[in-house]
Structures are given as C-alpha cells and as structure tokens.
C-alpha cells in the first residue's frame, strides 16, 4: 500500500507522478486504481493510455432510472419504446452521460430522455431520440441538462 501525503499548506496544489500503472490489491484488472472518493484536479489531467468507462445495456423494460455509476447507456430499441429518467441536476453538476440507440431502431421506437421534475434538457422538457443509430452526449449544468453533441 502507498499513502501519498502533502506538506503543502491548504489550498496549495501538491503534485505527484506515477510511472507505470497504479494497482489496487484485490482487483483482477491490470492497472486498476481505487480512490476512496472523488478525484479533483485544478489543472489538466492527461492519460497516456486507454480510458475505460462504465458501458451498460439497459434492461429491456422502461422507464430506466439513471444510476450513479452510469456513463454510456446503450438502449435496446428492438423491443421497446424507451424512456430514460435523468437524476436531479443539483446533485450532478458536471456529469456527462452518453445515450445510444444500441440496436438502430430509434426511428421506429423512439427513446425519450426525461429530466427530473421541472428541469429541462436543451431548453425543452424532454429530448426525443428518433433517428436510427442516434447517439447523444449530455452534460448537467446545474438547473438542467445541455446537449453537447449528437451524431445526427
């Protein structure tokens, strides 16, 4: 185990560098890292390797409530018209979600992204994905969600 502490005064950045991978005892993934909370940077954070994120195909029931660990959601549109319920914006400022038409049928089985309560997404009460193969990236901006990009 390695403990990294800084003798810097509060509010002063402390730097540390790792050459190679950071491993955590008890994990089966090579180079896995475990941090006991959120990790914040006051500058840029660069990775010299691949970045792995949580990719989830949601269950084929609707609506689906976005969970804390969700990042990339693949929606199985062959058997349902899906509604994705977003979490409250006040607890998720800066959070990014990617929502994808996982089976290319959103043109006939729409995916509705529904913000919490009276919050909005891109200025509207809901966002409907209605193009086959559509992928949308959204970010929480505090009072609601903004569309960062879409492939349509």
């Amino acid at each position: 185990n390695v403990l990294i502490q800084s003798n810097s005064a509060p509010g002063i950045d402390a730097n540390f560098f790792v050459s190679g991978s950071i491993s955590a005892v008890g994990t089966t993934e090579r180079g896995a890292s475990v941090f006991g909370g959120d990790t914040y940077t006051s500058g840029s954070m660069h990775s010299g390797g691949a970045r792995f994120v949580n990719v989830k195909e949601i269950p084929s029931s609707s609506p689906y409530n976005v969970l804390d660990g969700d990042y990339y959601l693949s929606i199985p549109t062959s058997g349902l018209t899906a509604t994705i319920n977003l979490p409250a914006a006040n607890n998720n400022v800066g959070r990014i979600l990617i929502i994808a038409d996982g089976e290319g049928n959103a043109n006939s089985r729409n995916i509705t992204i529904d913000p919490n309560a009276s919050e909005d997404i891109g200025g509207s009460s809901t966002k409907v994905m209605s193009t086959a193969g559509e992928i949308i990236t959204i970010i929480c901006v505090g009072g609601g969600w903004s569309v960062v990009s879409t492939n349509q």
Side-chain angles (χ1 to χ4, degrees):
N1 293 333
V2 175
L3 173 65
I4 300 172
Q5 290 183 293
S6 170
N7 291 327
S8 299
I12 303 298
D13 288 343
N15 299 309
F16 70 95
F17 301 91
V18 176
S19 177
S21 60
I22 301 173
S23 298
V25 176
T27 63
T28 57
E29 302 288 328
R30 182 179 71 75
S33 301
V34 176
F35 295 92
D38 296 330
T39 302
Y40 297 93
T41 63
S42 61
S44 298
M45 186 164 65
H46 301 275
S47 172
R51 179 172 183 223
F52 295 87
V53 297
N54 185 14
V55 175
K56 179 191 278 183
E57 182 171 322
I58 69 161
S60 58
S61 60
S62 183
Y64 176 77
N65 297 318
V66 172
L67 303 175
D68 286 343
D70 290 344
Y71 176 73
Y72 184 100
L73 298 173
S74 177
I75 315 303
T77 53
S78 63
L80 76 146
T81 298
T83 297
I84 307 302
N85 293 327
L86 298 176
N90 64 337
N91 298 327
N92 287 280
V93 175
R95 182 177 185 181
I96 296 171
L97 290 170
I98 301 170
I99 301 170
D101 172 12
E103 296 175 351
N105 297 307
N107 57 324
S108 60
R109 297 195 181 271
N110 296 165
I111 300 166
T112 301
I113 304 171
D114 190 6
N116 188 60
S118 63
E119 297 168 356
D120 65 45
I121 180 167
S124 299
S125 59
T126 61
K127 170 69 177 162
V128 177
M129 298 171 62
S130 59
T131 304
E134 190 170 353
I135 301 171
I136 187 170
T137 302
I138 60 175
I139 187 167
C140 180
V141 291
W145 298 79
S146 290
V147 176
V148 174
S149 67
T150 180
N151 66 336
Q152 302 302 319

